[in-house]
Amino acid sequence: MEFFFRPKTVAVIGASHNPEKIGYQILKNILSFGYPGNVYPVNPKGGEILGRKVYRTVEDVPEDVDLAVIAVPARFVPDVLESCGRKGVKGVAIISSGFKEVGNAELEEQVVNIARRYGMRILGPNIFGVAYVPGRLNATFGPAEIKEGKIALISQSGALGIALMGWTQTEEIGLSAVVSVGNKADVSDEDLLDFFGRDENTNVIVIYMEGVHDGRAFMDAVRRNSKPIVVIKAGRSERGAKAASSHTGSLAGSDLVYSGAFEQVGVIRAKTVRDAFVLARALAELPEPRGENTVIITNGGGIGVLATDAAEEEGITLYDGPDLAAFKKAMPPFGSFRNPVDITGMADPSMYVKALEIAQENPNIHSIALLYCETAVCDPVELAEGIKRVYDGRKPLVVAMVGGEKTEEAIRRLNEAGIPAYDAPEDAIRALSGLYRWRRFKKKRRSE
Ligand code: ACO
């Protein structure tokens, strides 16, 4: 699997002279993202593309090739693969569509057999590529830029995967890798789970999945993995399952079976893509809570109540103890130190900072949700800077900020600093619940 993520050399087969074509875009992304290894465009027409000499076949490339990205029409793929095999290519990412997903299972089988004969691994077919951010490899035809972080994204859907690459960038969500798995003819979710389980640059794995080929193998791979795995499993409805079947040729299977299996092995299931990243961001950035007690600090009664409701729904314990009276020092006399701690609409950044310090120092409090509604007396950007300055990273802290443009900027700054911040109190609470689900599962696993 190393060859897909840390290749020393990459060939782009079907690198096109035409900037509109996928083969051109992939080459362009590899070059512009700053890949440090050698890149070889391959096209029978020869010439030059993006200033690089083009080789007529991969066998003409003057050195060993670790990874070949293939972007030629499906019917030419077997010949190209034979050529890769003769060259001794290690890993092949097949971008081309037109295999099992359109009923062309024979062609897919032929391709797998060729690869097996030569001992090559295949990613795909029917994929948008692979990216490994710490190695500055972006062999995709998705966005040229990817923000670096600790979340590995594995997507069975091409278009959605590409869209998520763009979305994570604007949402300040950092990724370690993006892998399009497409038809999963050879490289499976299990192979990738094993790779990312060992990868020091990845803390959390997010999978958009329509189906698995071998349920038992998937469950075993999850069990072997010590990192949190968040799955968005599409095809929950009967009709959705049928759509998945025609999309990637997956047998979506009974959703109840998936839910049961996920629960057994500790997969954290997300209903929506947004949810998945709400959870993943917190799991990637925050320490594990040492205990069950959460405190909510807010300047608005309303969002405090919403967060409290969400906490109950998500199974989060709100701490009640006489020591909460310490929060009196961080609020005007008419505030409320009961959890949710209401430091009132008069709260300014210094009161928030004080409240955060009190929560951090209290050993009976294990996680903190800080909520803010935009007011004229508390500048959100100033608040974000105050939180960044004071937060010591020992316990989980999530922030929700509700307001206008300035608030958006504050959220961006916090996320950039690795403090998960959201624009809705429910999201902040759900983020914490992901940490607790993972903590409880690990405890259960240990006791078993
Ligand atoms: N070796 C190397 N290059 C070759 C070979 C070969 N044997 N045969 C042809 N080529 C060259 C062509 O000459 C061409 O280069 P040129 O433009 O300079 O002439 C280039 O390879 C591409 O070949 P085309 O025939 O022009 O094919 P095109 O670029 O139109 O399409 C592609 C190829 C992109 C692989 C297409 O067949 C395909 O499968 N598209 C779907 C991709 C996709 O959607 N993937 C799924 C996931 S992503 C998602 O869902 C959004």
Side-chain angles (χ1 to χ4, degrees), residues 14 16-17 21 43-45 71-73 80 95-97 126-127 141 159:
S16 170
H17 296 85
K21 288 197 181 172
N43 186 315
K45 290 180 182 163
V72 300
V80 168
I95 304 292
S96 324
S97 302
N126 188 25
I127 61 171
F141 61 94

Side-chain angles (χ1 to χ4, degrees), residues 49-251:
I49 306 174
L50 290 162
R52 303 274 159 147
K53 176 181 170 184
V54 176
Y55 292 82
R56 289 180 200 278
T57 81
V58 70
E59 289 165 85
D60 295 341
V61 170
E63 61 173 322
D64 287 347
V65 173
D66 285 345
L67 173 65
V69 184
I70 299 182
V72 300
R75 63 183 185 284
F76 301 134
V77 170
D79 279 350
V80 168
L81 262 190
E82 288 281 358
S83 182
C84 288
R86 288 192 295 270
K87 175 72 183 166
V89 172
K90 310 291 190 313
V92 179
I94 304 179
I95 304 292
S96 324
S97 302
F99 293 86
K100 197 171 165 191
E101 80 285 0
V102 291
N104 210 347
E106 272 167 38
L107 186 60
E108 190 159 313
E109 211 181 304
Q110 188 190 351
V111 158
V112 172
N113 287 338
I114 297 170
R116 294 247 156 92
R117 193 146 38 79
Y118 289 104
M120 291 183 288
R121 297 301 308 265
I122 294 179
L123 186 63
N126 188 25
I127 61 171
F128 63 85
V130 53
Y132 187 66
V133 187
R136 302 311 294 171
L137 175 73
N138 180 1
T140 73
F141 61 94
E145 268 311 309
I146 310 170
K147 186 179 152 56
E148 183 159 0
K150 296 283 184 185
I151 302 171
L153 169 65
I154 300 170
S155 180
Q156 201 174 353
S157 161
L160 185 63
I162 291 177
L164 288 178
M165 281 173 80
W167 182 73
T168 50
Q169 177 81 6
T170 50
E171 291 284 314
E172 294 290 337
I173 296 170
L175 301 175
S176 58
V178 183
V179 192
S180 171
V181 287
N183 296 6
K184 301 194 246 192
D186 175 27
V187 169
S188 61
D189 294 321
E190 296 84 79
D191 292 316
L192 295 167
L193 284 177
D194 285 345
F195 176 81
F196 289 119
R198 287 190 307 268
D199 177 35
E200 73 275 13
N201 297 309
T202 298
N203 288 353
V204 184
I205 302 158
V206 173
I207 309 179
Y208 168 85
M209 170 196 288
E210 295 186 351
V212 289
H213 291 318
D214 182 344
R216 173 66 61 196
F218 178 78
M219 288 171 79
D220 287 344
V222 174
R223 278 200 197 94
R224 280 196 298 276
N225 205 301
S226 59
K227 295 178 184 170
I229 299 163
V230 179
V231 171
I232 316 145
K233 164 72 179 66
R236 272 183 287 134
S237 63
E238 209 174 301
R239 227 183 152 108
K242 279 195 187 129
S245 146
S246 62
H247 181 205
T248 45
S250 301
L251 283 178

Side-chain angles (χ1 to χ4, degrees), residues 293-328:
N293 292 339
T294 299
V295 73
I296 296 172
I297 298 164
T298 178
N299 70 342
I303 50 169
V305 177
L306 287 172
T308 304
D309 284 346
E312 197 169 303
E313 276 160 25
E314 300 283 344
I316 286 183
T317 311
L318 293 191
Y319 176 59
D320 280 317
D323 47 356
L324 288 175
F327 284 108
K328 277 187 189 169

Side-chain angles (χ1 to χ4, degrees), residues 398-419:
V398 290
V399 178
M401 293 184 142
V402 184
E405 258 171 48
K406 264 191 149 182
T407 297
E408 269 175 35
E409 169 62 15
I411 291 174
R412 200 189 59 73
R413 287 191 190 199
L414 287 168
N415 282 322
E416 210 177 53
I419 300 172

